[in-house]
Amino acid sequence: MNTIKNTIIAAAMVFGAGLVSCVESNQVPAPGKLEVEQPQYTPDALEGELLVKFSPAVASVLEQAGVTKSGEKAPLTRSGILSIDEILDLVDGYWIERVFPVDPRTEDQARKAGFDLWYVVRFSKDIPVQEVAERFSRLGEVNSVQFNCQLHRADYRKAVPLTKAMVNALAKPTTTFNDPLSSRQWDLVNEGCQFEEELIPGQKLPEQPKFVKGADVGVKEAWKLSKGHPSIIVAVVDEGVDVFHEDLKTSMWVNEDETYGDVYDNDGNGYAGDRHGYNFADQTGVISTGKVLDSGHGTHVAGVIAAKNNNGKGISSIAGGDTEDNGVKIMSCQIFSGDRLGTVLDEVRAIKYAADNGAVILQCSWGYVAGTANGFDWQPQFRNDEEWKKYSPLEFQALDYFIHTAGSPDGVVDGGIAVFAAGNESAPSAGYPGAYPKFVSVASTAADFTPSVFTNYGPGTTISAPGGDFDYYYEYGDGVDRYNTGAVGAILSTIPAIITGENGEMTGYGYMEGTSMACPHVSGVIALGLSYAAEQHKHFKAQDVINVLYRSVTPIDEVMKGKKTYYKYVADLGFVHKKQLELTPFKGQMGGQVNAFKFLQNLAGAEEAVDMVFPNVLLEVGKSQAFYPSYYGDFGNFQVTVENAEIAKVEVKGDQLIFTGLRSGQTKAVIKGAKEQSFVITVRDQNVDNGWM
């Protein structure tokens, strides 16, 4: 297989996404003297722009210059820092803007994270970017210089789509849901079926069953406990999600203050028209899925997590719910768009956006080539935590921000959970960022618990999930053409309807494989578990949720013996390259397979769980905020009393409480019903003189 420098395949043989190393320099004590190594140049660094972290000592100068906003209309052509402006006077047409736009709701915590110090500096592409980087590296006012590297997809091949004829032929709903393709989803409910009707003519069933009952994510029994709660938001950082897909449109997160694709930023968070998320690659609220080089990957991932169940259409999902009122929500954070590959700048903005707008799970089917990957086929990247943090500082900082600031101390989970694909280089370690201990890193299994022939494993890998295995299921075809050989052993999910087969039919469903597909199974199970916790009015720390997840897995080491036979690239080359995978090295290196039912059971009895309480309320004068008491506990028929009615008032509208700030101050309040609880209402004037409003 051809490789692309510094990338990781995110869906073996079908789709991949990777990031290029971006290296920072440390602060230089005195201008004019280069005492540390300058940023390491890579051919994938964009010309004409740099990511620069300024010293806190000059932050106020930047703010006084008015460079605190972000976007095409925001940047200025002077920084206000003499040494910086002297350098940039030597290049043509430069301007500067903040990496992260100001969101008044979260600016305080962004500043605590140091995000207000990161800026994008753009200048003439005629000046070599490494030359400008070297000049910046000599300034004491600069803490870090980082190239804005371009993201890469290692494979542009699209999903294997189902034609209308195939959908009709395969339609066979399960007894759980009436979704016509649900019986084809062995990854959700594996009954050990052999799909004999899909054997290629003349082929015989393998002696060793390749579909083993129970080799799934254990969701059938879990659905009896929860089907998904709309308060749980999963941010899909990927290609765009088809927000109008018949099986996904009611599962999309909705920013009620925005109009889809509007050019006006109605809620003031720095992103215009972000009703269902944001297209960071194209800098628009319009989520795209139909460009020439789009593969359907983001929509496929979203379908695994939250396609609507029991709607008589397409597939089932792990946490999509079975009515209009339940099911988790998908936020599309698009970083790939057709031939627009996106950059590290797009990626970190997407991660912060997810944290600031309510997502508690970050679904990331991308990463770097594992440091232990075969150097003949790949270009290995980071070998340990220290290398990744040193050479990807802004990426590390953005992810750290997500896991510490997402969620709420008053909600179901305090902190965010980042889930990554382990990688598809058959390497004995996971790729970064997923290999970092604070994240969940997912390896891929086939329908018999064996490791997929492409999956990474070993150090950094924390859990496994079904990801498919085209080359292993070479006996099976669809009776139509050889290009779908083995698809039955891959993952069936939603794809944009625009992605079609050779006959041009649009169905919106198709097959993919990879740790990219294993990853959303774990994201979906975590989302279902948090949904169950929300329904039980329980609160967890994010790391506690991860700990419960790991102790709830299905052991799979028993299958790690002998060999499995497969045909490499069978969909493209047919039965040419017969291979055997030795299974023993995978023993103890896959983390166990995710099990939704065990996870939900263990969450229910976890000692880490605490009861939710009605939260303290923070308001601005003249502004209102709605709360649903039923989310925080069983209050039954309730009433609320505010001690000082001059500071705030409260109205009951159906199952909502509407609090309105009247004047600056603080007052106690009591909610009383089936149970009684005190809380505090704080009202403050709008901040207008703090340098960033």
Side-chain angles (χ1 to χ4, degrees):
M1 175 182 289
N2 293 331
T3 60
I4 296 179
K5 183 177 182 180
N6 298 330
T7 60
I8 177 175
I9 294 224
M13 292 300 296
V14 179
F15 173 87
L19 305 180
V20 182
S21 172
C22 296
V23 185
E24 73 165 342
S25 69
N26 297 323
Q27 182 175 347
V28 181
K33 184 178 181 182
L34 186 63
E35 296 185 353
V36 296
E37 182 182 0
Q38 70 179 68
Q40 178 181 312
Y41 178 72
T42 166
D44 297 283
L46 295 183
E47 293 291 336
E49 59 188 74
L50 288 170
L51 304 176
V52 179
K53 184 178 183 181
F54 290 101
S55 165
V58 298
S60 61
V61 179
L62 292 168
E63 291 180 357
Q64 290 171 11
V67 201
T68 58
K69 295 184 179 181
S70 181
E72 293 181 357
K73 297 180 180 179
L76 297 183
T77 58
R78 305 298 294 176
S79 72
I81 304 171
L82 182 60
S83 58
I84 300 296
D85 291 337
E86 285 179 348
I87 287 178
L88 292 173
D89 280 339
L90 301 177
V91 299
D92 296 327
Y94 88 88
W95 48 265
I96 181 172
E97 64 165 308
R98 237 176 68 153
V99 166
F100 301 102
V102 171
D103 184 340
R105 304 166 302 172
T106 60
E107 178 64 6
D108 287 342
Q109 64 189 23
R111 284 170 171 260
K112 290 178 182 178
F115 283 156
D116 59 312
L117 303 176
W118 280 99
Y119 285 80
V120 187
V121 179
R122 294 189 171 95
F123 45 87
S124 171
K125 294 182 180 180
D126 294 334
I127 310 298
V129 66
Q130 55 266 56
E131 178 182 329
V132 181
E134 181 179 359
R135 292 179 180 180
F136 270 111
S137 298
R138 298 179 183 275
L139 300 179
E141 294 90 346
V142 171
N143 274 2
S144 300
V145 180
Q146 182 174 336
F147 293 113
N148 187 22
C149 305
Q150 198 168 45
L151 312 186
H152 285 275
R153 285 177 286 193
D155 199 315
Y156 288 101
R157 278 175 286 186
K158 302 178 186 297
V160 176
L162 292 182
T163 64
K164 291 181 180 179
M166 292 169 67
V167 168
N168 293 334
L170 298 177
K172 184 182 178 182
T174 63
T175 56
T176 303
F177 296 130
N178 64 12
D179 307 299
L181 295 174
S182 56
S183 64
R184 320 305 293 185
Q185 295 179 271
W186 60 266
D187 48 312
L188 303 188
V189 181
N190 191 339
E191 299 291 355
C193 56
Q194 298 297 317
F195 297 115
E196 289 91 343
E197 71 273 19
E198 299 202 14
L199 286 175
I200 296 175
Q203 293 288 323
K204 296 181 179 180
L205 282 171
E207 294 181 5
Q208 180 67 34
K210 292 189 177 182
F211 292 91
V212 173
K213 186 177 178 65
D216 50 38
V217 296
V219 76
K220 185 175 183 179
E221 293 301 313
W223 281 329
K224 297 177 182 178
L225 301 177
S226 178
K227 295 188 173 67
H229 194 278
S231 67
I232 306 303
I233 302 170
V234 182
V236 174
V237 184
D238 207 299
E239 281 189 4
V241 177
D242 184 355
V243 301
F244 303 111
H245 194 287
E246 63 175 3
D247 237 356
L248 287 170
K249 59 185 178 182
T250 60
S251 296
M252 297 306 300
W253 169 73
V254 178
N255 181 355
E256 297 289 357
D257 294 329
E258 291 283 353
T259 301
Y260 181 70
D262 201 342
V263 296
Y264 298 103
D265 180 16
N266 296 314
D267 62 359
N269 70 350
Y271 299 100
D274 58 321
R275 187 168 177 82
H276 301 300
Y278 197 74
N279 181 343
F280 295 90
D282 296 325
Q283 300 183 56
T284 174
V286 176
I287 308 299
S288 65
T289 58
K291 295 185 179 180
V292 174
L293 293 182
D294 287 333
S295 70
H297 194 272
T299 303
H300 197 275
V301 161
V304 171
I305 299 168
K308 185 59 65 177
N309 296 320
N310 213 41
N311 63 353
K313 299 175 182 178
I315 63 165
S316 298
S317 73
I318 295 172
D322 60 351
T323 71
E324 294 295 318
D325 298 325
N326 64 9
V328 305
K329 299 301 180 182
I330 296 293
M331 175 190 293
S332 182
C333 294
Q334 184 173 358
I335 60 173
F336 298 98
S337 178
D339 60 357
R340 172 70 168 86
L341 299 178
T343 66
V344 170
L345 176 63
D346 302 329
E347 173 215 338
V348 298
R349 282 175 168 170
I351 292 169
K352 183 179 182 295
Y353 176 92
D356 290 348
N357 288 280
V360 293
I361 300 168
L362 202 66
Q363 158 58 39
C364 305
S365 286
W366 44 265
Y368 300 94
V369 170
T372 57
N374 182 344
F376 289 101
D377 297 324
W378 309 92
Q379 294 197 8
Q381 274 286 55
F382 308 114
R383 295 168 295 180
N384 53 54
D385 299 345
E386 289 70 27
E387 283 189 0
W388 173 63
K389 289 194 293 184
K390 177 181 179 182
Y391 297 135
S392 297
L394 185 53
E395 181 180 71
F396 168 75
Q397 191 173 350
L399 286 164
D400 191 66
Y401 179 88
F402 181 84
I403 65 175
H404 285 103
T405 64
S408 167
D410 300 313
V412 66
V413 62
D414 188 2
I417 301 171
V419 187
F420 282 87
N424 301 341
E425 305 95 49
S426 303
S429 69
Y432 283 88
Y436 191 64
K438 292 185 179 181
F439 310 144
V440 179
S441 180
V442 188
S444 176
T445 60
D448 59 358
F449 286 124
T450 61
S452 302
V453 298
F454 49 78
T455 190
N456 289 357
Y457 59 99
T461 307
T462 56
I463 198 168
S464 296
D469 205 341
F470 272 103
D471 294 353
Y472 181 46
Y473 290 86
Y474 57 88
E475 294 100 337
Y476 300 93
D478 62 4
V480 179
D481 60 65
R482 73 182 183 88
Y483 295 104
N484 286 345
T485 298
V488 69
I491 305 301
L492 177 61
S493 186
T494 49
I495 60 174
I498 195 67
I499 295 178
T500 64
E502 293 180 359
N503 59 4
E505 293 179 336
M506 299 181 185
T507 67
Y509 302 93
Y511 289 99
M512 281 185 158
E513 67 167 8
T515 55
S516 272
M517 277 61 254
C519 187
H521 284 84
V522 174
S523 294
V525 168
I526 295 172
L528 191 66
L530 292 181
S531 296
Y532 185 51
E535 291 156 0
Q536 299 297 311
H537 311 299
K538 297 295 183 182
H539 171 79
F540 289 87
K541 297 287 187 181
Q543 186 58 53
D544 290 336
V545 174
I546 295 174
N547 294 341
V548 175
L549 177 76
Y550 292 159
R551 64 176 186 250
S552 305
V553 298
T554 299
I556 59 176
D557 278 352
E558 182 62 29
V559 306
M560 304 305 173
K561 55 188 176 182
K563 301 177 180 179
K564 62 184 287 185
T565 301
Y566 66 101
Y567 283 87
K568 196 170 184 179
Y569 311 144
V570 67
D572 295 317
L573 303 177
F575 304 107
V576 175
H577 294 291
K578 186 176 182 179
K579 300 284 186 179
Q580 287 191 320
L581 180 68
E582 177 63 56
L583 298 178
T584 304
F586 293 88
K587 188 171 185 178
Q589 303 297 310
M590 297 282 285
Q593 182 141 306
V594 66
N595 187 308
F597 183 52
K598 287 184 179 180
F599 180 49
L600 268 63
Q601 281 186 313
N602 288 339
L603 280 176
E607 62 181 15
E608 298 94 335
V610 296
D611 291 334
M612 285 189 192
V613 295
F614 195 84
N616 294 326
V617 178
L618 178 62
L619 301 168
E620 290 183 1
V621 174
K623 299 290 183 67
S624 298
Q625 190 173 358
F627 288 82
Y628 291 85
S630 61
Y631 178 71
Y632 302 98
D634 185 11
F635 288 96
N637 294 321
F638 59 85
Q639 61 181 12
V640 178
T641 303
V642 178
E643 186 175 283
N644 189 337
E646 294 182 355
I647 292 176
K649 69 175 182 178
V650 60
E651 300 174 81
V652 179
K653 290 188 177 180
D655 56 352
Q656 290 186 76
L657 286 176
I658 311 296
F659 293 91
T660 302
L662 301 178
R663 70 171 175 81
S664 180
Q666 198 172 66
T667 179
K668 293 181 180 179
V670 176
I671 180 170
K672 188 174 182 179
K675 63 178 183 177
E676 181 177 331
Q677 186 203 315
S678 298
F679 59 99
V680 175
I681 302 174
T682 301
V683 181
R684 64 184 183 187
D685 293 325
Q686 185 179 27
N687 293 315
V688 294
D689 297 318
N690 57 6
W692 52 265
M693 285 293 289

